[in-house]
């Protein structure tokens, strides 16, 4: 059972990145998928989540209108489209799977490795 996150990298302020979270060993259909991030010197924070049941989406206020989470169950993949990136979005990002969307990281059963997103000119 594994989650693999990809799509990290370095981008200039105002730029875009698309993150992918691919599951192997289990089917994403039955799981809510969340994205978390941890900036240097800060605690990990919940960023977004998409439910398994009806595809409802949720975002932390700081990314609303800029980030879009989506899922393609046929590809066992969840995406996080990150637009209008700001330096404060710089962090290590993880995706994680839970039965239901929750901002509490303790509710998530499976985690990807962290991948760094750096927003800098």
């Amino acid at each position: 059972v594994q989650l693999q996150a990809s799509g990290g990298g370095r981008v200039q302020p105002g730029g875009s990145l698309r993150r992918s979270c691919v599951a192997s060993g289990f089917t994403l259909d039955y799981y809510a998928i969340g994205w978390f991030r941890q900036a240097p010197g800060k605690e990990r924070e919940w960023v977004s989540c998409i439910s398994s049941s009806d595809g409802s989406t949720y975002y932390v206020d700081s990314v609303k209108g800029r980030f879009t989470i989506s899922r393609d169950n046929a590809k066992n993949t969840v995406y996080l489209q990150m637009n209008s990136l700001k330096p404060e979005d710089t962090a290590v990002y993880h995706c994680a799977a839970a039965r239901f969307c929750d901002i509490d990281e303790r509710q998530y059963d499976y985690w990807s490795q962290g991948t760094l997103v750096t927003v800098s000119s």
Side-chain angles (χ1 to χ4, degrees):
V1 174
Q2 189 175 10
L3 286 173
Q4 180 76 31
S6 62
R10 188 182 189 95
V11 64
Q12 291 188 341
S16 298
L17 283 174
R18 189 175 81 155
R19 311 300 316 283
S20 297
C21 178
V22 182
S24 59
F26 69 103
T27 303
L28 274 185
D29 300 35
Y30 306 112
Y31 287 87
I33 301 297
W35 285 92
F36 290 78
R37 67 185 180 186
Q38 186 166 18
K42 295 186 177 181
E43 293 187 354
R44 187 156 58 189
E45 70 166 344
W46 170 83
V47 175
S48 181
C49 188
I50 185 166
S51 72
S52 60
S53 56
D54 60 3
S56 295
T57 58
Y58 308 91
Y59 302 93
V60 68
D61 285 348
S62 59
V63 308
K64 283 180 181 177
R66 301 189 297 121
F67 289 12
T68 303
I69 190 170
S70 61
R71 65 192 304 151
D72 185 340
N73 288 340
K75 294 183 178 180
N76 226 24
T77 301
V78 167
Y79 303 99
L80 184 69
Q81 179 67 42
M82 307 164 64
N83 297 330
S84 302
L85 283 161
K86 304 175 180 179
E88 51 263 43
D89 295 317
T90 295
V92 173
Y93 286 72
H94 301 260
C95 62
R99 294 296 293 132
F100 305 100
C101 281
D102 200 299
I103 63 172
D104 184 351
E105 63 182 62
R106 294 171 296 179
Q107 301 304 316
Y108 291 78
D109 300 315
Y110 307 116
W111 289 79
S112 73
Q113 84 289 4
T115 54
L116 179 63
V117 171
T118 302
V119 184
S120 173
S121 55

